[in-house]
Structures are given as C-alpha cells and as structure tokens.
Amino acid sequence: MTIPPVVPHRIDPAGGCPHAVNARLLDRGAVAPVVLPGDVEGMVVLGHDALKDFLAHPDVAKSARHFTALSEGRIPDGWPLMTFATVQGMTTADDEDHRRLRSLVSRAFTARRVEALRPRVEELTGELLDGLEAAVSEGEDIVELRRRFALPLPMSVICELLGVDDEFRGRLHHLSGQVVATDIVPREAVAANRELVSVLAAVAASRASRPGDDLTSALIAAREEDGDRLSEQELIGTLLLMIIAGHETTLNLITNAVRALCAHRDQLDLVLSGGASWSDVVEETLRWDSPVSYFPFRYPTRDLTVDGTLIPRGTPVLAGYSAAGRDRSAHGPDADRFDVTRASATRHLSLGHGPHYCLGAPLARLEAAVALERLFTRFPDLDLAAPDAELARKAGFVGNSVDQLPVRLRPVAGPA
C-alpha cells in the first residue's frame, strides 16, 4: 500500500488562536512540514520532547548562513520574516559569536541583578494600578488592560534598563510590533525595519553623548574599549532583541494570565486563598498559553531526523512553543486544562531551552508575578468585559495573545 505524502500545513500570516491547529498537527506527529508566508517551505517542531532535543542539538544552528533558500537568493526583499533571520545579534549567532554577545548582556540579568529590580517593578505596578483605580473613580466602566497595564510595565522596565529616553518608547513599541508581524506587506516591512534601525541608532547616539548607568551605555563602552567585541550592527541588533523580547513576551504573558484566571475563577480563588502561588500562575500560563507560538528560526546543518521525520539541511524551522505546552505525552491527558497546581507546569519550553534559553526569563517571571499579584489583590473581582472567544487576536503567528483586553474593574471598597 502506498502511503500518501503529508500535505504541508500552510501557516496563516494573520495568526489567530493556535491551539486547535496545534492539536491537529500533533495528532499527526511531533514534527510537521509547513508553508511560510511567501510560499517558503519550512518545518515546525511541535512535540515537547522532540522540541527539547531539537533546541539543544549540536547540529542545529541559528545563523542565516545555514538557510539554504536565503543563501540561494530565493527569499525576496521585504519578506515579513526577514528580520528574524538576518538581524545581527544573539538570536542569529552560534558558538563563539553567540557566547561573546551573550556575555556582554548576561550580567544585567543574573538572579541577583533582577531581584534588585523588584522595588522598581513594584513601584511602577503601583503607579499603573493607581491610574486604573482613578479611571474607575471617574466613571470608566471598562478599561483596556493590555494598553494601560500589561504593556507599560515591561516596556518601562526594559527601557529603564537600557537607558531609553521617554521620547522613543511609544515609537519603539509600534515599530517592534510591525517587525514581528507576519501579515505585513513587503513595502511596510522594509519601511518598519529601516525606521526601527534609525530609532535605535538615535537611542545609541543619545547614550553615547550622555552615558549613564544603563545597559546601552555599557555596551557602547565595551565596543569602544575593544572594537572587535561589538560591531555597530551587533549593537543595534542587540538593542532590537532586548526591546522586542524585553516587553512583547511579558506583555503577552500578563495578558494571557489575566484571561486564564478570569476564565477559571476556581484557580484564581485558589491563589487568592493561598492554595497556590503567583509563580504557579506564571508557570502554568507559560505552559498552557505560551506568549510565543511559533518562533523563527533554526536550521539543521545536516539532514536531521527528529522523532522519525527528516528535516533537510538548511530548512527554516519554527519552534512550536504553544503546541509543546499542550502536548499530552509530556503533560498528561488533561494538558488542555488550566491548572495552577499542575506538577509538570515548570517543565514547559516557552522560554526556550539549550544555549539560546531566554536571557530575560528571570525578569519576565518577576514582572508577571508582581503584576498579577498586585492587580488581583487590588481588584479581586476583575473580569473580562467581553467573552474571551470574541476578543480579536494579535496579528501574526509568532506572538500568541489578543489585541485588546477590555475588563471591568471592581475595586475593593475602602473603609467607611
């Protein structure tokens, strides 16, 4: 009997909720062929164990010089995923280059350094919550929590860490969203990339003229002390990575956690009564509704068989984080259920694995845990203002969240 060939899954550039598609693909296997925007052939690794092995495999690279279609000139200018492939920085470096670049910023994200940021994270969270409470006092029945709380907290923290002046922050958020969008037309993609590079160059110039106690100033100093350590392109690429990864992931994490808790009031009650911790909420959200769905790219440096499926050398491969989080083989038959007491929650891969494990993971966890604890302590009856299924999804298939989060805030009444 002839086995019919597997029909590649055509990924929707507009994104959408990934879980139904993930379940269907996982039923077929841990690895699936896909068609990326622009009819580019690729693969996605979806199964938990297969993805864990793939992310740490010595014959898997991040540098686009291993991307066969790109090196052969078959990828057009303005391809919406081009930045993920070609930006110069840690996410596209291998071996010694990766270790060199990572060492320049890793000291800012040690557990001790991140814990030292806790008072500032708590202060910023309190200020944002005061603003929300004032809005309710002034008669606002519904507030848009993503824009007014989940976004400004991580954006403020990463910008303060990098020394980014206030004048640049709004534009950086807009442009970073354009850069990671997968449904953008080529002309807009090229324009957004150019403007983002220009804005980041202005940020670097500002810090070069007025150095401070921030990471950008430290990176510039390292470059000036030893020009071989960090090129101008690597500096811009590092800033781009820090800005995007430093706020988009945490923004989606906080948003998804609020949605999950509102949809599972028993889990929220369990946390509020002390039966589980806010860290438990963060880890289960990372597993159950990963803030990143399909992350580009890795490339096998030789033909590689993963869980019985051949991935040809030079194929662009997506890391299917949202799928791996609900893989029943790793998390049990109830993997689709949100459960903050789940023993396997911390085994998720949503912050990566191997040498490219997310450098900012401790900071993301801190920000999300503080934000959620303070938010639901101040507003324990907070609820969605529209059914979750009706909330418009964030455009693109890389990030995984909704575009807006309208909620009703019912603050606890103060003393008479």
Side-chain angles (χ1 to χ4, degrees):
M1 184 179 75
T2 302
I3 299 176
V6 176
V7 177
H9 169 65
R10 184 172 290 274
I11 292 185
D12 184 354
C17 182
H19 299 302
V21 171
N22 287 340
R24 190 178 78 246
L25 293 176
L26 273 171
D27 283 343
R28 289 167 26 183
V31 182
V34 295
V35 179
L36 299 166
D39 289 330
V40 176
E41 295 180 354
M43 304 283 278
V44 57
V45 182
L46 306 137
H48 177 278
D49 291 347
L51 181 57
K52 185 176 181 180
D53 290 343
F54 183 78
L55 294 176
H57 200 288
D59 295 320
V60 172
K62 292 282 281 179
S63 171
R65 68 187 180 87
H66 299 286
F67 186 175
T68 299
L70 182 63
S71 64
E72 293 178 352
R74 293 189 278 119
I75 305 297
D77 292 338
W79 189 49
L81 296 169
M82 187 67 82
T83 297
F84 288 102
T86 61
V87 63
Q88 294 191 40
M90 284 183 293
T91 59
T92 56
D94 296 309
D95 304 324
E96 186 53 42
D97 273 346
H98 176 249
R99 287 188 288 271
R100 171 177 58 86
L101 293 169
R102 193 174 177 98
S103 69
L104 290 171
V105 298
S106 60
R107 283 171 290 182
F109 294 98
T110 63
R112 182 178 61 83
R113 289 283 186 93
V114 168
E115 187 58 32
L117 293 172
R118 180 181 292 274
R120 181 55 178 153
V121 172
E122 292 175 342
E123 180 181 20
L124 288 168
T125 301
E127 292 171 358
L128 292 168
L129 292 175
D130 288 345
L132 295 177
E133 195 150 23
V136 173
S137 299
E138 293 169 5
E140 287 191 46
D141 182 42
I142 297 173
V143 299
E144 208 287 271
L145 199 68
R146 184 176 170 92
R147 176 179 58 85
R148 295 173 66 169
F149 180 72
L151 166 62
L153 175 60
M155 191 66 174
S156 295
V157 172
I158 195 62
C159 284
E160 288 184 9
L161 193 63
L162 291 172
V164 176
D165 296 330
D166 289 346
E167 63 185 285
F168 299 115
R169 297 182 184 184
R171 199 61 190 156
L172 284 174
H173 170 65
H174 171 74
L175 291 170
S176 65
Q178 293 286 96
V179 165
V180 302
T182 53
D183 61 343
I184 193 170
V185 299
R187 175 178 51 81
E188 293 175 343
V190 171
N193 274 274
R194 287 176 177 169
E195 186 179 354
L196 181 57
V197 169
S198 176
V199 173
L200 291 173
V203 170
S206 174
R207 295 275 60 82
S209 63
R210 296 182 290 109
D213 183 21
D214 57 78
L215 184 54
T216 303
S217 297
L219 291 172
I220 292 171
R223 187 189 64 193
E224 292 175 348
E225 290 168 8
D226 184 352
D228 291 336
R229 293 201 70 199
L230 190 71
S231 69
E232 179 71 18
Q233 292 79 12
E234 289 172 336
L235 172 62
I236 298 300
T238 299
L239 294 180
L240 185 150
L241 167 66
M242 294 291 105
I243 290 290
I244 294 178
H247 88 281
E248 286 282 352
T249 302
T250 310
L251 162 60
N252 288 349
L253 172 56
I254 295 171
T255 301
N256 292 355
V258 171
R259 293 168 52 225
L261 290 170
C262 287
H264 301 83
R265 306 301 298 195
D266 60 322
Q267 299 295 295
L268 175 58
D269 291 342
L270 184 64
V271 179
L272 291 174
S273 66
S277 70
W278 292 104
S279 292
D280 294 330
V281 173
V282 171
E283 298 306 319
E284 178 66 349
T285 302
L286 285 166
R287 181 203 70 83
W288 186 73
D289 205 11
S290 171
V292 176
S293 193
Y294 309 119
F295 192 77
F297 286 118
R298 284 172 170 80
Y299 319 93
T301 59
R302 62 172 177 82
D303 288 355
L304 200 63
T305 299
V306 178
D307 199 55
T309 299
L310 175 67
I311 304 179
R313 178 178 65 86
T315 299
V317 181
L318 302 172
Y321 294 128
S322 61
R326 297 198 184 190
D327 184 355
R328 290 181 174 85
S329 67
H331 299 288
D334 67 342
D336 288 341
R337 184 167 63 90
F338 182 76
D339 178 6
V340 296
T341 66
R342 183 182 301 275
S344 69
T346 56
R347 292 178 52 219
H348 65 79
L349 301 171
S350 292
L351 296 171
H353 178 68
H356 285 271
Y357 180 76
C358 177
L359 197 60
L363 182 57
R365 286 181 162 112
L366 170 66
E367 291 173 340
V370 169
L372 294 168
E373 177 181 14
R374 298 301 175 90
L375 175 67
F376 283 100
T377 298
R378 183 87 67 104
F379 304 110
D381 297 320
L382 178 154
D383 205 355
L384 300 183
D388 186 76
E390 296 179 9
L391 299 178
R393 303 292 303 192
K394 189 73 176 169
F397 62 76
V398 177
N400 173 42
S401 194
V402 294
D403 190 50
Q404 296 184 345
L405 187 64
V407 300
R408 287 188 173 87
L409 300 175
R410 303 183 181 92
V412 177

